[in-house]
Amino acid sequence: MVAIQVALDSLMPRAAVLEIYLQTAFIPQRYALGIAGQAGPYFWSPFTYSLLHGGYGHLALNSFWLAAFGAVVARRIGWIRFLVFWMASALASAMLFLVLHWGDQTVMVGASGVVSALMGAAARFAFGGSGGSGGFRRDQAHLNRRLSVVQSLSNRTVFFFLLVWFAINLAAAIGFSFGIADSAIAWEAHVGGFLFGFLAFSLFDPLDQH
C-alpha cells in the first residue's frame, strides 16, 4: 500500500492517477449502470479499492491499526488465509456501502473496511477468556481460545471494545470526522467489515476449539 501511494503521489502524471482511481476505486454508480463497457472494474474494484488511499495521512492511520490488529490475526490464521480474509472482508465492506449508497457517484478507497474486519476477528480471540479477564497482548493473543459470538458479547473487555468502536462510527455517521479526514468517513464500510470479521471469523480460523 505504501508503494502504491508513493507511485500515485510522486511518480505518475495526474491523468494516469485519475484513470487508476477511476478503474480501481469502488464507485456505487458503476453497479447502477450495469456491466456493459466496464467489465474489468465491475469485478475487481470491490477488492482493489482497499489498496488505495486518499493521502499519506489516510494511509498512516490505516497502517497503524493494521499493524495492531492485522498482525495477531495473520499469526493465527497464516498468510494464505489472511489474504483470502482480506479479499472477503473488502467485498463485505463494499457491499454494505453499495446497499446504502446505491447509484451514488461517491468514490471509496482505503483499507479501513478490512481493518475493521480484522478488529472484529480479533475480538473473537484476542481479549482473554470468556470470564472477561485479560487484556489485549499482541505477542500472545493469537494463542487464545476462540470465543463463540455469545461468549464474546459476554466478555466485559470485548463488550466495551465493541461499544466504543460502534460509538466512534456512529459519530462518523452523523458527520464528525475527529479532525483526521478531509472527506467523509465511509462508516458503512467499517460496519460491514466489522460485522463480517466478528461473525465469520470461525470460517477462517484453523485452530480446533474443542
Side-chain angles (χ1 to χ4, degrees), residues 4-27:
I4 290 172
Q5 188 62 43
V6 170
L8 293 175
D9 196 60
S10 305
L11 303 179
M12 294 182 177
R14 180 171 175 78
V17 171
L18 292 176
E19 183 64 21
I20 289 173
Y21 275 99
L22 178 64
Q23 296 295 323
T24 58
F26 187 77
I27 306 173

Side-chain angles (χ1 to χ4, degrees), residues 58-76:
H58 188 201
L59 173 63
L61 182 64
N62 280 337
S63 296
F64 174 82
W65 292 113
L66 178 61
F69 289 93
V72 295
V73 175
R75 280 197 292 267
R76 184 178 180 96

Side-chain angles (χ1 to χ4, degrees), residues 22-156:
L22 178 64
Q23 296 295 323
T24 58
F26 187 77
I27 306 173
Q29 187 185 43
R30 197 188 311 276
Y31 300 90
L33 297 176
I35 195 173
Q38 55 169 353
Y42 192 93
F43 290 110
W44 65 54
S45 64
F47 308 100
T48 54
Y49 80 93
S50 66
L51 302 175
L52 304 171
H53 288 83
Y56 286 108
H58 188 201
L59 173 63
L61 182 64
N62 280 337
S63 296
F64 174 82
W65 292 113
L66 178 61
F69 289 93
V72 295
V73 175
R75 280 197 292 267
R76 184 178 180 96
I77 68 176
W79 71 270
I80 294 177
R81 286 187 178 91
F82 185 85
L83 291 178
V84 175
F85 182 89
W86 183 293
M87 295 178 65
S89 56
L91 180 61
S93 302
M95 290 305 97
L96 184 58
F97 189 84
L98 176 64
V99 168
L100 298 178
H101 289 274
W102 181 258
D104 288 358
Q105 294 182 344
T106 306
V107 176
M108 183 177 72
V109 295
S112 54
V114 174
V115 171
S116 297
L118 291 166
M119 290 178 171
R124 294 286 300 276
F125 67 89
F127 291 97
S130 58
S133 61
F136 178 73
R137 293 187 56 185
R138 293 181 64 245
D139 58 335
Q140 298 182 12
H142 62 289
L143 302 175
N144 290 342
R145 182 175 67 89
R146 185 183 73 242
L147 306 179
S148 69
V149 170
V150 173
Q151 288 172 330
S152 298
L153 295 175
S154 300
N155 181 299
R156 292 188 298 274

